[in-house]
Amino acid sequence: MRRLAVWATASLCASLAVLSGPVPAGADPAGTRAGVFPSLAPDLVAYYDFEHPARANPAVERDLGHSGTDLSLVNGGAGMRVRDRGGHAIQTRQLNPTVAGNDDWKAGVYSAGGLPSLRAFNAVRQVTVMGWFKVTGPLPALNSTTPAPEDRYNAIGLAGVLTGSSDGHAVRALLEVIDVSGELRVVALGRRVDGASSQTFAAAMGWRSVLPRGEWVHLAATFDFDTGELALYRNGRALDGFYTVPGDPWAVAGPPEPDVTTASDPAGIKIGGSFPQNTLERNPCDCRMDGLMFLDRAASPGEVWRQYLWSRR
């Protein structure tokens, strides 16, 4: 296992990227994907800009990445696609906070046997999850799975890749807000081995400062399953933070090298809450989301900065 990088390095790289000059927002040369910084395109496994509903079913969003993993807009269907950011985004939200059911608006795709289209995340060494997020309602949401009417969930689901053995909740790489020692924090949560321990890198900044209500924010999380390193970015800049699990929860010390995730196809992708197969409700997000990207490598600090600039509207 290589030595963990010092977090100041990420901040320095991002600063150097700033000095290299601005990138015009929305500048997309011929042959590139709209809204995608060119160096990221070769490793873009899945990408959703919510401008491309499937012709046969407007409740399905086409994947503009390499995998062709189309996304279901669960429960809200085409009505989840809303005008915002100069185009379209999706709205996710809890519908009925007092009744246990399966009506929350969320998005995703799920297959209990694993999705071959997401094989790029099978035995993968690195992952990046990033996109644009805007909180649009009170969070965390009321917990519809408990009898006490005032109970709230301890997490807010943003976007992530499921493990191969996932029931729709367990993840390989996830951006979310979750309770850390009694305080909600924006985190990158990763699991190298299916069914084994996860590691979390939590932002030091309070979650409401990271995601102010009514404001679009670009978030990115990178995962290196070989070094054990995770990173978080807000509007292109590295966030200070801390690991929540001491030691080596991913068991990356020692041979064989390099360390990779379990050799299983992910069961899917979840966005705005768990269980994209719509069997349960968990951690809904009253949010809008846009430009969601899933890469099979860790974007560099400079690339995260450039993607933020490239995709602003």
Side-chain angles (χ1 to χ4, degrees):
M1 179 185 70
R2 297 195 299 274
R3 189 183 181 91
L4 289 182
V6 179
W7 283 106
T9 303
S11 298
L12 175 60
C13 291
S15 299
L16 290 174
V18 175
L19 296 176
S20 66
V23 175
D28 296 297
T32 68
R33 289 173 174 79
V36 179
F37 186 65
S39 70
L40 300 175
D43 307 292
L44 194 59
V45 178
Y47 172 50
Y48 309 99
D49 67 359
F50 304 107
E51 305 290 349
H52 295 84
R55 290 184 180 180
N57 184 359
V60 171
E61 177 68 19
R62 288 173 49 211
D63 176 15
L64 302 184
H66 301 304
S67 74
T69 307
D70 292 346
L71 201 68
S72 294
L73 306 185
V74 181
N75 291 317
M80 294 172 59
R81 197 176 280 108
V82 296
R83 296 289 302 180
D84 208 332
R85 295 192 69 240
H88 289 92
I90 59 161
Q91 175 76 53
T92 62
R93 63 189 179 102
Q94 183 179 59
L95 271 233
N96 195 330
T98 60
V99 178
N102 295 308
D103 57 0
D104 288 350
W105 287 13
K106 53 192 173 184
V109 58
Y110 181 81
S111 173
L115 282 167
S117 64
L118 294 177
R119 190 152 293 164
F121 297 121
N122 176 322
V124 70
R125 181 176 165 184
Q126 298 178 334
V127 173
T128 299
V129 178
M130 62 179 156
W132 288 91
F133 302 89
K134 180 170 74 171
V135 173
T136 53
L139 292 171
L142 290 168
N143 192 335
S144 61
T145 68
T146 63
E150 71 279 3
D151 282 356
R152 292 188 177 272
Y153 290 103
N154 72 343
I156 304 162
L158 297 177
V161 178
L162 301 176
T163 63
S165 59
S166 180
D167 61 353
H169 184 64
V171 290
R172 187 163 289 169
L174 175 70
L175 251 176
E176 74 170 348
V177 180
I178 196 170
D179 185 295
V180 177
S181 301
E183 184 174 350
L184 288 173
R185 295 186 181 276
V186 175
V187 304
L189 187 154
R191 179 176 285 103
R192 188 177 76 82
V193 178
D194 289 3
S197 297
S198 63
Q199 176 62 288
T200 300
F201 182 77
M205 182 186 293
W207 85 269
R208 287 186 173 88
S209 296
V210 177
L211 286 167
R213 186 167 171 175
E215 178 181 325
W216 279 105
V217 175
H218 187 264
L219 292 180
T222 60
F223 307 79
D224 191 320
F225 296 104
D226 184 29
T227 66
E229 184 177 3
L230 299 95
L232 282 169
Y233 300 83
R234 179 186 188 273
N235 289 343
R237 309 292 185 103
L239 285 168
D240 292 331
F242 56 93
Y243 292 96
T244 66
V245 183
D248 183 19
W250 286 352
V252 297
E257 298 290 351
D259 296 288
V260 296
T261 66
T262 297
S264 62
D265 295 340
I269 289 172
K270 66 176 183 177
I271 294 166
S274 292
F275 303 104
Q277 70 271 41
N278 206 30
T279 55
L280 289 170
E281 296 179 339
R282 192 75 54 82
N283 306 331
C285 186
D286 196 329
C287 301
R288 291 186 177 185
M289 306 182 190
D290 194 20
L292 299 181
M293 308 173 71
F294 302 84
L295 292 88
D296 61 349
R297 69 171 175 88
S300 71
E303 286 177 315
V304 173
W305 171 253
R306 288 286 179 159
Q307 176 58 29
Y308 160 65
L309 293 177
W310 196 268
S311 59
R312 285 186 304 177
R313 294 179 183 171

